[in-house]
Amino acid sequence: VQSIQHRAMAMGADLAQKEGWEGVDNFPLWVPMLSHLVEQHWNATSGVIGETNARPYFKLQGPKCLSSSDEGANESTVRTSPCELDVAVLLGSLSARAGHGLGSAVQEVFPPHDSRMLVTAYHLVESMAPTYEVNSIDDDAGLPGVLIGRYPGDEYSGVIMDPADSNDVCSGYNCASAWFLATHGLAEVIYATAVAVAKGDMKADAMNHHYLLAAMDWALPKAQRGRSEALPGTAKELSEKLIAGGDGVLARAKHHASSDLHMSEQIYRGNNKLPGVTPGEMIGARDLTWSYASLLDALATRADAVSAVSAVSAMSS
């Protein structure tokens, strides 16, 4: 949220100056203040950008640690770092990108291709994807990509009971499943990274290395992954492989949409969390707008990535 507040404040400060508003001389001062607050979300000790760094307790919502996805985890489970893992961090980065209008001179604090953002994305996937039965089923079926949810230990199953005092079908940590929104967001981060690589705005380093390898591998069935620890030697080839990885992620999500591409909120994880429901079925809010909007956003960024790669090809020919 604070990354989007920072972008909104930058846009507001420009608009105030353009329109000659009075009594808002402090707007430009708030922009660097919000930038500083966003920067505080980077935890150099755990090596991730945390969703919050000021949570006072962990009762209604878990600490979102790597261990929060463990079978039988609850609020008393030992908190294995990293914690405060949440796909909201990725979505916030995507939504806070500088455009071409108001506030465009103010750069993002954590752009999607920032190595700190990419290592956070890697930990997000590792904290959730291996615990979803549906991913194992899709892997066995030879599908590319991966499905993720909102955060490790997510309690919200998407099943609303009626009447409200009915017993929950599932309660506690890890009742939630994979989300179309979250999975599409992951794909868009991959495409945004491809754009940055093609434009020369990002270089591979020790922090983002594992993420880049994983993102390329998501273009392939699981049986073909992990065969190389080396990254491509050119920006063009790396960008192309990242685009293919993003395509793999979208392909797996699409596999669980209806034949006419209706998308609900979640893709049931399995693990007997909702007895009687088949892993991979859509659950939760029907035709959730976020599911469609996140796909359109991802496809728009994919188009940017393809254009960026084409520009590299034209320059080298």
Side-chain angles (χ1 to χ4, degrees):
V1 173
Q2 286 187 330
S3 59
I4 300 174
Q5 289 174 333
H6 173 246
R7 173 59 49 207
M9 195 69 251
M11 296 173 70
D14 270 9
L15 181 62
Q17 182 179 40
K18 178 182 178 181
E19 298 295 330
W21 294 352
E22 297 182 359
V24 291
D25 293 343
N26 54 350
F27 275 21
L29 302 178
W30 289 351
V31 177
M33 179 188 72
L34 284 166
S35 174
H36 176 71
L37 290 176
V38 174
E39 289 171 353
Q40 302 311 301
H41 286 260
W42 167 246
N43 187 326
T45 301
S46 63
V48 298
I49 302 170
E51 190 265 337
T52 183
N53 50 19
R55 193 185 301 281
Y57 59 89
F58 304 102
K59 183 67 175 178
L60 298 179
Q61 202 171 63
K64 307 178 181 180
C65 300
L66 190 63
S67 54
S68 298
S69 283
D70 291 349
E71 184 65 29
N74 56 45
E75 61 202 51
S76 300
T77 298
V78 175
R79 295 168 191 162
T80 303
S81 183
C83 297
E84 291 301 336
L85 292 165
D86 196 309
V87 77
V89 171
L90 305 187
L91 302 179
S93 175
L94 292 167
S95 297
R97 285 173 290 181
H100 300 288
L102 293 171
S104 58
V106 178
Q107 293 303 303
E108 308 95 322
V109 180
F110 294 124
H113 64 270
D114 188 295
S115 291
R116 294 166 293 181
M117 187 61 64
L118 299 186
V119 72
T120 300
Y122 178 79
H123 283 298
L124 268 167
V125 175
E126 289 298 299
S127 72
M128 290 183 281
T131 70
Y132 293 171
E133 182 185 3
V134 64
N135 272 323
S136 297
I137 294 171
D138 287 352
D139 288 341
D140 291 342
L143 293 175
V146 68
L147 301 173
I148 64 170
R150 298 190 302 177
Y151 55 85
D154 191 356
E155 308 88 346
Y156 175 62
S157 69
V159 178
I160 307 299
M161 302 303 293
D162 185 22
D165 59 354
S166 301
N167 292 328
D168 289 333
V169 176
C170 183
S171 61
Y173 284 17
N174 297 308
C175 285
S177 294
W179 284 56
F180 283 103
L181 164 67
T183 303
H184 294 161
L186 174 65
E188 188 177 3
V189 169
I190 300 172
Y191 294 139
T193 304
V195 172
V197 170
K199 291 183 175 181
D201 294 335
M202 195 211 85
K203 302 292 184 184
D205 57 33
M207 187 177 292
N208 63 34
H209 184 79
H210 289 298
Y211 165 84
L212 294 174
L213 289 175
M216 293 190 303
D217 269 354
W218 290 325
L220 307 169
K222 186 175 182 180
Q224 299 176 25
R225 299 176 193 171
R227 296 183 178 180
S228 176
E229 287 295 317
L231 295 170
T234 68
K236 178 178 180 293
E237 186 180 1
L238 177 55
S239 295
E240 289 174 337
K241 287 184 176 294
L242 288 172
I243 292 172
D247 290 350
V249 174
L250 290 188
R252 184 169 292 208
K254 181 182 178 181
H255 176 74
H256 295 285
S258 69
S259 58
D260 52 359
L261 293 185
H262 281 272
M263 290 178 285
S264 294
E265 178 183 72
Q266 300 182 44
I267 301 165
Y268 177 48
R269 63 181 291 160
N271 307 103
N272 203 37
K273 298 294 181 179
L274 301 175
V277 181
T278 302
E281 286 189 28
M282 290 189 288
I283 58 173
R286 296 179 181 177
D287 287 315
L288 185 67
T289 304
W290 275 346
S291 297
Y292 298 102
S294 58
L295 176 58
L296 293 174
D297 285 342
L299 292 175
T301 302
R302 185 190 188 280
D304 292 340
V306 171
S307 295
V309 172
S310 297
V312 172
S313 300
M315 291 175 60
S316 59
S317 61

